[in-house]
């Protein structure tokens, strides 16, 4: 029996085509016993002829208390390698649990975040893993009160008491700047994203605390906030290095900013940048009077540069996996008090952060 254009065949269409009842079709598709081989074969032929596909979401939602076996993952920007690795880890964990992951990016825009979350919740996701934007997240309470479980990664959510997985950003930034100070640097540039982002605010505080503890004043001209892309970071670093009093060291607060800083140095902003790469998009620090660099978050190929990049390493895969484990425990019935998990970071010296300032 032909279907109208654009119309999806239903179970009733299959039953009519096979000459059986819809209940018989349901039993065949569910693999239940008690259907004759002849009727089962007739149903299977009708399914193939009509191109019928069972709507598992609708089927499960009809069962009282059944979930959709989908979760939503909401991050800042999937173009950022940190969030891409996090997303892959969440997806792998969900696959092992038999769940599908819906992924959306916010670009740290509150309105876009609300729209993505509303779209996911309208699809009856069983839970959300969220990298929250700035501002209050009390708007999520109606969903959490009706059963949608939420876990926050990378940053806490203001106005929402849920499981959270972070690192100690302030202490890690302090350690990175201490490392540069230990190698004789005093003109250390801070290269950051928007200051209203919790992780960036914490890293900026760590930078200032490290300087203050050594009696070093932060120089306004060496503070740059709001760098949202690799290109913006490269432009900011190039301007700093071309100034009359350039920094001798750079602290880059995320992977994209680190990549932009390397681009600026490679282009010759430091006076001795090499114009080489490893062929995979990784840039190479040159010799001469290039600044020392420590970046927050590792980069692909960072250990293969001519002057490998010193980084504060946090593990986005561990963060994603930990968040997924917490979420699935909540979905399965864990009603214990919300917990805050703080993962470890480590400074990996590779050469770029160990260059002394020129006299």
């Amino acid at each position: 029996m032909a279907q109208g254009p654009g119309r999806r065949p239903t179970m009733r269409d299959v039953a009519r085509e096979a000459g059986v009842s819809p209940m018989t079709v349901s039993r065949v598709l569910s693999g239940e016993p008690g259907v004759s081989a002849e009727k089962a074969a007739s149903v299977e032929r009708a399914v193939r002829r009509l191109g019928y596909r069972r709507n598992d979401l609708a089927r499960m939602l009809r069962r009282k208390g059944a979930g959709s076996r989908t979760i939503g993952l909401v991050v800042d920007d999937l173009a950022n390698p940190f969030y891409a690795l996090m997303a892959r880890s969440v997806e792998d964990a969900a696959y092992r649990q038999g769940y599908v992951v819906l992924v959306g990016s916010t670009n740290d825009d509150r309105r876009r975040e609300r729209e993505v979350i509303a779209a996911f919740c309208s699809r009856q996701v069983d839970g959300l893993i969220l990298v929250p934007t700035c501002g209050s997240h009390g708007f999520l309470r109606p969903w959490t009160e009706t059963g949608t479980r939420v876990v926050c990664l990378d940053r806490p959510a203001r106005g929402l008491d849920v499981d959270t997985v972070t690192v100690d950003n302030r202490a890690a930034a302090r350690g990175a700047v201490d490392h540069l100070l230990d190698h004789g640097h005093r003109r250390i540039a801070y290269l950051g994203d928007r200051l209203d982002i919790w992780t960036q605010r914490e890293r900026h505080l760590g930078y200032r605390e490290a300087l203050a503890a050594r009696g070093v004043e932060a120089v306004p001209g060496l503070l740059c906030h709001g760098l949202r892309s690799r290109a913006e970071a490269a432009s900011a670093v190039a301007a700093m290095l071309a100034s009359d009093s350039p920094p001798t060291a750079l602290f880059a607060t995320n992977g994209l900013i680190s990549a932009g800083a390397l681009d600026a140095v490679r282009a010759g902003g430091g006076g001795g940048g090499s114009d080489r790469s490893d062929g995979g998009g990784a840039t190479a620090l040159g010799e001469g009077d290039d600044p020392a660099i420590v970046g927050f978050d590792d980069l692909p190929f960072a250990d293969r540069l001519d002057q490998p990049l010193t980084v504060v390493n946090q593990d986005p895969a561990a963060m994603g996996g930990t968040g997924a484990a917490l979420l699935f425990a909540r979905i399965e019935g864990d009603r214990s008090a919300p917990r805050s998990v703080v993962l470890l970071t480590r400074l990996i010296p590779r050469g770029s952060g160990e260059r002394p300032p020129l006299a």
Side-chain angles (χ1 to χ4, degrees), residues 5 9 51 53 89 106 114 123 132 138 156 173 186 194 200 218 266 289 300 354:
R53 289 179 295 172
S89 179
T106 65
R114 285 181 177 240
R123 286 164 173 77
R186 294 298 179 268
R194 286 185 359 223
Q200 294 294 306
R266 181 189 179 208
D289 56 352
E354 293 67 56

Side-chain angles (χ1 to χ4, degrees), residues 4-355:
R7 180 174 176 269
R8 181 174 179 170
T10 66
M11 190 177 291
R12 288 187 178 279
D13 294 327
V14 173
R16 192 179 300 112
E17 181 76 10
V20 299
S21 70
M23 180 62 72
T24 298
V25 174
S26 177
R27 292 172 68 186
V28 171
L29 294 179
S30 299
E32 297 177 13
V35 180
S36 70
E38 182 181 355
K39 287 185 177 180
S42 180
V43 168
E44 290 167 0
R45 285 193 298 270
V47 166
R48 288 195 296 271
R49 281 197 298 268
L50 297 177
Y52 172 77
R53 289 179 295 172
R54 184 171 60 180
N55 188 336
D56 286 331
L57 174 60
R59 179 175 61 89
M60 285 187 290
L61 291 178
R62 282 194 295 269
R63 298 178 184 172
K64 185 177 180 181
S68 65
R69 300 200 75 79
T70 60
I71 62 171
L73 172 63
V74 185
V75 300
D76 175 0
D77 180 9
L78 278 172
N80 186 323
F82 179 83
Y83 293 118
L85 289 169
M86 178 190 290
R88 178 57 189 268
S89 179
V90 170
E91 185 180 36
D92 288 346
Y95 177 78
R96 291 191 294 270
Q97 294 285 337
Y99 279 72
V100 173
V101 184
L102 306 178
V103 184
S105 299
T106 65
N107 198 32
D108 265 313
D109 180 279
R110 282 182 285 180
R111 180 174 179 178
R112 180 166 168 172
E113 177 188 52
R114 285 181 177 240
E115 290 173 352
V116 171
I117 289 173
F120 286 175
C121 289
S122 71
R123 286 164 173 77
Q124 305 293 328
V125 294
D126 296 325
L128 288 170
I129 295 178
L130 172 65
V131 177
T133 65
C134 59
S136 173
H137 284 75
F139 71 89
L140 272 168
R141 278 198 291 272
W143 281 302
T144 61
E145 289 169 358
T146 55
T148 303
R149 308 303 170 195
V150 178
V151 172
C152 290
L153 300 186
D154 194 38
R155 317 162 187 174
R158 187 158 59 87
L160 197 64
D161 192 16
V162 297
D163 294 330
T164 304
V165 185
T166 61
V167 300
D168 191 338
N169 289 274
R170 191 182 305 191
R174 217 166 36 233
V177 178
D178 278 339
H179 187 72
L180 292 169
L181 290 164
D182 288 343
H183 284 81
H185 294 279
R186 294 298 179 268
R187 293 185 58 80
I188 302 171
Y190 174 90
L191 307 169
D193 201 331
R194 286 185 359 223
L195 200 53
D196 60 351
I197 298 171
W198 180 82
T199 51
Q200 294 294 306
R201 189 164 60 251
E202 289 292 299
R203 292 170 195 177
H204 179 243
L205 287 171
Y207 164 87
R208 284 189 170 272
E209 288 173 0
L211 294 183
R214 302 288 187 96
V216 178
E217 290 190 15
V219 179
L222 299 184
L223 301 175
C224 191
H225 302 286
L227 301 174
R228 293 293 295 166
S229 69
R230 180 172 178 165
E232 288 179 3
S235 178
V237 171
M240 284 184 181
L241 297 180
S243 68
D244 292 336
S245 299
T248 65
L250 310 173
F251 173 49
T253 59
N254 67 34
L256 289 178
I257 293 173
S258 295
L262 291 170
D263 290 341
V265 170
R266 181 189 179 208
S274 167
D275 192 28
R276 292 171 291 174
S277 78
D278 69 356
T283 53
L285 292 175
E287 304 300 328
D289 56 352
D290 293 338
I293 305 176
V294 176
F296 207 113
D297 294 336
D298 216 342
L299 291 174
F301 308 110
D303 59 345
R304 293 170 51 192
L305 305 177
D306 285 359
Q307 183 75 75
L309 181 65
T310 295
V311 297
V312 174
N313 183 55
Q314 58 174 329
D315 189 341
M319 185 174 287
T322 302
L326 289 169
L327 182 66
F328 289 125
R330 295 297 182 185
I331 290 172
E332 291 168 9
D334 182 355
R335 297 296 180 265
S336 60
R339 64 202 71 174
S340 176
V341 179
V342 181
L343 302 180
L344 297 176
T345 63
R346 65 189 180 109
L347 183 72
I348 305 177
R350 293 186 178 136
S352 70
E354 293 67 56
R355 305 181 68 154

